[in-house]
Amino acid sequence: MLYHPEAFDAWDMDHHIVWMKQDAISSPVSLQVIANGPVLAMLQSMPISIGENGSTLVIQYSLHSQQHCLSVKCIVDWKECHKALRFQIPTSYCGDVARFGGPFNFVDRAQTPSRQKEEAQWEVPASRWASILDGSLTDGLSIVTESKYGFRAKQGILSLTLLRSPTVPDPKADQGSHTIEFAIARHQNMFCNTADNVPTAAMADELFTPFVVLPSQSCKAVTVPPITFATLGSVVPSWVLPSYSTTSFCVRLHETAGAASNIAFSVRSNACVQTINFNEKVLSVLERASRRDGENYYEMEVSAYKIVTLRILFDSINE
């Protein structure tokens, strides 16, 4: 699509990018089978000519065993100027809003513009995911990305802006080779019964976080998990790290669906579980719900949008 804003070339995307768009791929594309096994199935296109200056695009679609999404890789040699490249998905999800991810939160924007404010949201920034939803706000289609991107979600069509090519202040911005990876999945608010079926808000971490690989069979992990979750609902663990003030671990979680959710977890019997603030000041000490098999079990409610940090203290960190 054409892209030439009236001002702020590197930042703005004016409204004409919506109605002056043109298909980058104007004819059907043939896909070749690259892999077809029990773990991975992959289709890939030959280089596709796009734009007017010799740009090319290779699209790769992959399905991985135990993953509930379609992985997409776009390999682009971009030579265009003042144009934007978008990946667009038409859907039948035509609810009132679309949802855009952010750090520890999300924002809903109108799918069907009725006021100038909503009409002006033709491009919405998001961090790592965006979903176009039905009227229940529980079902829809999501694009999950490795980083932050610009999205558009209007009247059932969800799109991801892959590249732009401003010339001010950098006359060669976005020029050259790019490999852009993202995934297409069914929107999901909560963890399901299977460990590999995660909420959309947690999917980016699962798909794009590198594995920790032990270099040989003789290497073994020397620690045990500080915490095991039995139920999470719509609460997503963000990270685990050692405490800077005590011999303990801190686990940060946040609620991602805009509704209170109950969680249940277990820790070793010699552990104490606290809730703390960002400065590691103790807010409360949790009482265990039960004890069995040498572990303490805890339950707690996490209110809508709340960020919770648990600190788990052990009698001996090496025990």
Side-chain angles (χ1 to χ4, degrees), residues 98-111:
R99 184 162 291 175
F100 302 89
F104 298 102
N105 210 329
F106 62 82
V107 62
D108 288 341
R109 300 296 192 198
Q111 271 207 62

Side-chain angles (χ1 to χ4, degrees), residues 13-300:
M13 297 189 74
D14 290 347
H15 196 196
H16 65 257
I17 68 167
V18 176
W19 48 266
M20 293 185 68
K21 64 183 180 181
Q22 62 185 41
D23 292 337
I25 303 173
S26 57
S27 59
V29 174
S30 297
L31 299 175
Q32 297 179 331
V33 178
I34 304 300
N36 185 20
V39 177
L40 172 66
M42 183 186 298
L43 299 175
Q44 181 174 297
S45 73
M46 297 295 289
I48 306 164
S49 177
I50 57 175
E52 300 174 348
N53 297 318
S55 299
T56 59
L57 167 67
V58 174
I59 305 178
Q60 187 182 96
Y61 297 102
S62 303
L63 288 173
H64 297 260
S65 175
Q66 304 301 316
Q67 286 186 356
H68 296 258
C69 63
L70 174 67
S71 297
V72 184
K73 179 184 289 186
C74 294
I75 304 169
V76 187
D77 183 13
W78 189 245
K79 301 177 182 178
E80 305 306 305
C81 181
H82 284 128
K83 288 189 177 181
L85 182 66
R86 270 184 172 162
F87 189 95
Q88 183 168 288
I89 308 171
T91 79
S92 59
Y93 295 109
C94 296
D96 292 333
V97 301
R99 184 162 291 175
F100 302 89
F104 298 102
N105 210 329
F106 62 82
V107 62
D108 288 341
R109 300 296 192 198
Q111 271 207 62
T112 304
S114 59
R115 297 174 298 175
Q116 288 184 339
K117 174 184 175 181
E118 296 155 354
E119 178 65 24
Q121 295 165 354
W122 54 81
E123 179 88 355
V124 179
S127 177
R128 312 193 79 183
W129 64 274
S131 297
I132 197 160
L133 304 174
D134 65 4
S136 71
L137 303 183
T138 60
D139 192 18
L141 189 80
S142 303
I143 294 179
V144 182
T145 63
E146 189 173 5
S147 185
K148 55 186 180 295
Y149 280 87
F151 294 86
R152 174 178 168 82
K154 297 294 184 186
Q155 299 174 322
I157 299 175
L158 179 62
S159 59
L160 167 67
T161 300
L162 303 177
L163 292 170
R164 300 162 54 221
S165 43
T167 57
V168 178
D170 183 358
K172 296 185 178 180
D174 280 357
Q175 300 290 317
S177 299
H178 303 268
T179 299
I180 303 167
E181 297 184 63
F182 55 95
I184 303 169
R186 193 79 172 262
H187 177 80
Q188 189 165 297
N189 283 333
M190 303 178 69
F191 282 91
C192 289
N193 296 329
T194 56
D196 57 336
N197 207 351
V198 303
T200 301
M203 191 173 290
D205 283 332
E206 178 174 282
L207 293 176
F208 301 115
T209 301
F211 290 101
V212 177
V213 180
L214 299 177
S216 69
Q217 293 183 353
S218 62
C219 296
K220 297 180 180 179
V222 296
T223 60
V224 296
I227 186 170
T228 301
F229 289 98
T231 303
L232 279 166
S234 58
V235 177
V236 172
S238 306
W239 45 255
V240 180
L241 81 167
S243 167
Y244 67 81
S245 60
T246 64
T247 303
S248 60
F249 287 92
C250 296
V251 182
R252 180 154 295 166
L253 312 99
H254 65 289
E255 198 285 319
T256 61
S261 185
N262 293 314
I263 67 171
F265 59 92
S266 62
V267 298
R268 288 157 38 201
S269 60
N270 66 327
C272 171
V273 181
Q274 305 168 335
T275 61
I276 59 174
N277 63 16
F278 288 172
N279 294 320
E280 296 201 19
K281 179 181 178 181
V282 177
L283 302 177
S284 67
V285 178
L286 299 188
E287 296 290 336
R288 71 185 182 198
S290 63
R291 181 178 180 182
R292 58 183 182 271
D293 301 327
E295 292 191 338
N296 291 335
Y297 286 78
Y298 296 84
E299 297 176 355
M300 67 178 298

